[in-house]
Amino acid sequence: MQEASERTVEGDFNDARFGYAGVTSRFYRRGGGFFVVTDGADGKPAEYRVAQTFGVDPLQQYLIDLPGGRKQALSIAWDTRKKRWFHLYPTERIDFRDGLHWTQPSQNWNFMCGECHATDYRKNYDPVANRYQTVATRYDVGCQACHGPASRHLEWAAKIPPKTPPRPAGEASRDFDVALSSGGTAQLDGCAHCHSRRATLTADHRQGAALMDTHLPALLTAPLYFADGQIEDEVYEYGSFLQSKMHLKGVVCSDCHEPHSGKVRAAGNAVCVTCHNAAAPGATPRVDTSGLKRKDYDSPAHHFHPPGAPGSRCVDCHAPTRDYMVVHPRHDHSFRIPRPDVSVAIGTPNACTGCHADRPATWAAETVAKWYGPGRRQEPHYGQALDAGRRGKPGAVRSLVALCDDRAVPAIVRATALELLERYPGPASLAALRRSLTDADPMVRRAAVTGHDGLAAPGSVEAVAPLLDDPVRGVRVEAARVLASAGSSLTPSRRRSLARALGELEAAQVENADRPEALASLGNLFLSRGDPAEAERYFRKAIALDARFAPAYVNLADLYRARQREAAAERVVREGLTVLPAAAPLREALGLTLVRQGKKPAALAEFAAAAKAAPDEPRHVYVYAVSLHDAGRGPEAIQVLEDAVRRTADRDLLLTLAFFLSEAGDRAGAEKHLRALALVNPDDPALAATGLRP
């Protein structure tokens, strides 16, 4: 990030023009400044001065100062390699009404970018004035961004006698607050502060602190990751690296990357064969190399590609790239062994067909078997279990529970499996969640707490309550969220712990009060604490901040419904539909309020619209089918459900379909779908009444 100047601006501002979505933007210079005429928040063309450049290679974006202290990243960027303007959403039509427009919160630098692209950054958002007063020591990544305050380092440097030979890197901390050269958790968490997809819990970040004390890293959920953990959306490196055997064995970022330039320590395959070589590994003593095979990996005998050709580099197969921001290829840092057989099973990408795009995954799997032998990599992959959990496949619960209990599986995988178990109530799921509450990894403990939120089983409050005093903030605040309405059932000591953790939870949402998600979460928090007036205020604030945020309308309508204010509920949902006419949650919410007002035909039309807008969302299909059945259109309801369960074996869809079929006299059809559910989750309590077992 640099001030826009003749030295820093890479783009063509010589009266260049770029057309997109019916808008022609013009880039030019005037009086030493750089300007763009493009569509603003109202859709009308206006002139904007470029304040800063953002990035150098392979693309450069431009920051525009807008009222309220906002810095917005223009979505038209400069390709510094091909020397061309391009739009970051080339296959879409993003105009001023879209949440991805450059003037909207999704493109706001203060929230989205600043924390990782500035040193000693303070966002300083004022929710009352709806204004940023953002400050930083410097608007780039300086030494103190990673090492902490440097005052003691300056004192140390002043004591060094003149002409003293420099000591090797890593020999001493040089009195920085954080010495990262030794590697370990401190380094990985320090890098993950920026190199991860995560949410912020507090602005009080301290170098050397545990990541989950200040941030919540994302799990391997859709659409961020493919089911086998490969990168899909823009997730950076941390979540991938946690899945790698290298991480398990003690490798850290600086073993491969020079931390100050970010470049790999050696060119080509040299950085990999430092450890993976035929003679002896060259890893540092803290890396466990006991299971490392001694062989020549940098050879056609291993990779089966001509030297120097695509496929001969280690990263081609073990860390393939995916393009983000159109022109920026980034490596998947899970360093996985390619498994085209897994691609055949669950439809995930693989490195082989990533290059050989004209060949199917079956070809790649057969080729791997020919090269390495038919028994190569036949062991189950955790991606198959996660895929079964995502899609409701047979054996899903059994496989997910096995993952949760397997300590050889990366913690981020076990945590993801725990969150998936929330969909599948029953003794096996509950037992796995309970066991994981005491896991050594905070990511796993937090996921176990989250899982209890959807399984309202006896003893859950008592089981989760100790986590209110967890040493890691990220776990404590999740326990507070889950137990927010359970204070009266806790002991006095636990109530005090709940109050403290709720304070941390509220502070985390206030820190993110420039986002409608955080304001809606605050509304839900106050609602769970029995304060509907304050909840209403926050739902309204979320809508005022971003009128395109559908959940705030739905939450506010639900609040009015609970207070028997159906007319108000209908008004707020219709208000949302003026902005988001195709939003399935709003269509469904309108239908529900119309039902409660006795306007069932009109409600049915809304439920149909919701199901049509989001056919892969089981909730909307379920509500539509129930409404059809209630209207006396049973055969249509059954058809809607049968179409849906062919796409996903959702629990509610299967149970409802079985009930409708049984009611219609088709007991065999009902049992077929109950058996399908039993194959997914044989412990499902809904099956007990049927007496059916797989």
Side-chain angles (χ1 to χ4, degrees):
M1 181 176 177
Q2 302 175 89
E3 294 299 315
S5 70
E6 291 286 345
R7 181 182 63 85
T8 63
V9 171
E10 299 280 341
D12 179 5
F13 279 80
N14 295 310
D15 202 31
R17 286 168 168 77
F18 180 81
Y20 174 86
V23 175
T24 297
S25 300
R26 185 165 69 95
F27 299 85
Y28 56 95
R29 306 164 185 244
R30 188 177 70 238
F34 296 81
F35 296 85
V36 56
V37 171
T38 192
D39 57 329
D42 57 1
K44 298 177 181 178
E47 179 186 77
Y48 301 95
R49 184 182 185 121
V50 173
Q52 285 93 17
T53 65
F54 203 46
V56 176
D57 181 72
L59 71 150
Q60 186 173 74
Q61 285 186 272
Y62 299 95
L63 299 183
I64 308 294
D65 287 336
L66 291 187
R70 287 167 168 77
K71 290 185 180 296
Q72 299 292 132
L74 199 65
S75 296
I76 303 171
W78 179 253
D79 183 336
T80 59
R81 296 179 181 177
K82 294 184 177 180
K83 308 300 181 185
R84 65 183 179 110
W85 291 106
F86 70 99
H87 200 280
L88 293 174
Y89 304 98
T91 61
E92 303 176 56
R93 185 181 175 87
I94 307 299
D95 65 13
F96 70 99
R97 292 167 293 230
D98 197 290
L100 293 175
H101 191 256
W102 75 271
T103 59
Q104 296 304 311
S106 64
Q107 310 300 330
N108 173 247
W109 177 90
N110 310 70
F111 175 84
M112 300 292 294
C113 315
E115 185 178 359
C116 292
H117 289 272
T119 302
D120 191 25
Y121 177 81
R122 290 292 183 270
K123 182 175 62 177
N124 291 340
Y125 175 71
D126 181 352
V128 176
N130 187 22
R131 180 179 181 82
Y132 294 97
Q133 293 179 316
T134 299
V135 296
T137 300
R138 55 187 292 171
Y139 286 95
D140 62 8
V141 181
C143 307
Q144 296 175 87
C146 301
H147 292 285
S151 55
R152 289 193 301 109
H153 169 70
L154 295 177
E155 294 172 3
W156 169 86
K159 297 174 185 177
I160 302 298
K163 299 182 180 180
T164 300
R167 287 187 282 182
E171 182 178 315
S173 71
R174 296 171 172 82
D175 277 346
F176 274 111
D177 278 15
V178 181
L180 300 174
S181 56
S182 59
T185 302
Q187 182 184 128
L188 185 59
D189 281 4
C191 295
H193 170 234
C194 290
H195 291 268
S196 66
R197 183 73 172 256
R198 79 290 186 278
T200 300
L201 288 174
T202 174
D204 190 25
H205 170 67
R206 291 290 179 268
Q207 291 78 7
L211 176 66
M212 285 187 62
D213 263 337
T214 56
H215 295 81
L216 293 177
L219 299 183
L220 308 180
T221 54
L224 302 182
Y225 295 86
F226 291 103
D228 64 351
Q230 292 186 76
I231 57 175
E232 183 172 5
D233 202 355
E234 193 171 9
V235 292
Y236 313 103
E237 294 81 17
Y238 177 69
S240 299
F241 189 62
L242 290 184
Q243 301 172 62
S244 71
K245 286 188 177 180
M246 295 169 68
H247 169 251
L248 179 66
K249 298 295 185 179
V251 174
V252 294
C253 311
S254 62
D255 288 324
C256 302
H257 291 273
E258 203 292 315
H260 300 107
S261 69
K263 297 179 179 179
V264 291
R265 291 190 177 275
N269 289 341
V271 71
C272 299
V273 299
T274 298
C275 296
H276 297 270
N277 55 57
T284 58
R286 62 180 150 68
V287 176
D288 176 12
T289 62
S290 58
L292 200 59
K293 294 180 179 179
R294 309 288 193 259
K295 62 182 290 187
D296 185 4
Y297 290 94
D298 191 8
S299 163
H302 171 67
H303 54 63
F304 292 92
H305 290 78
S312 66
R313 297 190 311 158
C314 304
V315 294
D316 292 341
C317 299
H318 300 290
T321 60
R322 191 172 180 85
D323 288 342
Y324 298 98
M325 303 183 82
V326 183
V327 299
H328 194 179
R330 301 182 194 172
H331 289 283
D332 186 315
H333 276 58
S334 56
F335 301 105
R336 62 185 66 229
I337 293 171
R339 291 288 301 271
D341 60 308
V342 174
S343 299
V344 172
I346 63 176
T348 49
N350 67 84
C352 306
T353 56
C355 284
H356 300 277
D358 59 333
R359 300 295 189 99
T362 51
W363 166 84
E366 291 165 359
T367 302
V368 167
K370 182 174 70 173
W371 284 348
Y372 300 105
R376 173 75 169 179
R377 316 309 311 184
Q378 293 298 307
E379 72 276 13
H381 189 279
Y382 56 75
Q384 292 162 289
L386 297 181
D387 179 68
R390 286 185 180 189
R391 302 192 193 188
K393 290 183 176 180
V397 171
R398 181 188 70 251
S399 300
L400 291 173
V401 168
L403 272 189
C404 297
D405 291 337
D406 187 352
R407 295 301 185 271
V409 172
I412 192 170
V413 175
R414 291 189 285 125
T416 305
L418 285 165
E419 282 211 349
L420 285 169
L421 279 178
E422 183 183 354
R423 306 179 185 183
Y424 303 107
S429 297
L430 183 60
L433 289 163
R434 293 280 166 84
R435 289 191 296 271
S436 300
L437 288 171
T438 56
D439 194 272
D441 192 284
M443 196 178 289
V444 175
R445 295 197 302 275
R446 186 177 190 276
V449 171
T450 303
H452 277 79
D453 192 25
L455 299 176
S460 289
V461 171
E462 293 78 4
V464 173
L467 280 301
L468 292 167
D469 295 306
D470 194 275
V472 177
R473 186 198 309 254
V475 180
R476 293 194 301 270
V477 297
E478 183 66 358
R481 185 190 68 81
V482 169
L483 298 178
S485 60
S488 61
S489 63
L490 298 174
T491 66
S493 174
R494 293 290 189 216
R495 284 200 293 272
R496 290 191 292 272
S497 297
L498 175 62
R500 286 193 297 270
L502 281 172
E504 291 180 308
L505 175 59
E506 184 176 344
Q509 303 303 339
V510 170
E511 169 61 27
N512 296 300
D514 51 340
R515 299 293 294 184
E517 302 93 331
L519 294 172
S521 294
L522 280 167
N524 288 327
L525 176 60
F526 281 103
L527 197 59
S528 66
R529 295 165 74 176
D531 191 344
E534 195 70 355
E536 179 180 0
R537 188 171 76 88
Y538 275 108
F539 293 146
R540 280 292 182 191
K541 284 173 68 71
I543 293 169
L545 183 65
D546 186 355
R548 297 169 179 82
F549 186 64
Y553 297 101
V554 175
N555 290 348
L556 184 55
D558 286 344
L559 184 151
Y560 290 148
R561 172 195 55 77
R563 302 176 76 181
Q564 288 80 50
R565 296 174 58 188
E566 287 298 346
E570 181 178 351
R571 279 197 302 274
V572 76
V573 174
R574 291 193 183 279
E575 175 188 340
L577 285 168
T578 62
V579 183
L580 299 164
L586 293 177
R587 289 291 172 192
E588 181 181 297
L590 178 57
L592 291 172
T593 192
L594 291 172
V595 166
R596 290 187 290 268
Q597 296 177 64
K599 303 173 183 177
K600 292 187 177 182
L604 182 57
E606 297 299 332
F607 296 143
K612 182 178 180 180
D616 293 325
E617 175 52 56
R619 157 77 187 188
H620 301 312
V621 177
Y622 164 79
V623 171
Y624 177 43
V626 170
S627 183
L628 281 170
H629 183 268
D630 185 56
R633 297 161 62 179
E636 291 179 66
I638 289 172
Q639 186 62 56
V640 166
L641 291 171
E642 286 181 336
D643 291 343
V645 299
R646 278 193 286 269
R647 295 190 298 270
T648 177
D650 177 76
R651 176 180 186 260
D652 289 337
L653 297 182
L654 287 169
L655 287 171
T656 306
L657 178 54
F659 176 76
F660 288 174
L661 287 169
S662 178
E663 185 182 61
D666 186 358
R667 179 61 184 169
E671 289 188 355
K672 169 189 169 185
H673 294 294
L674 289 174
R675 286 194 181 92
L677 177 58
L679 289 173
V680 176
N681 182 14
D683 284 338
D684 194 310
L687 293 172
T690 70
L692 184 68
R693 287 292 179 265

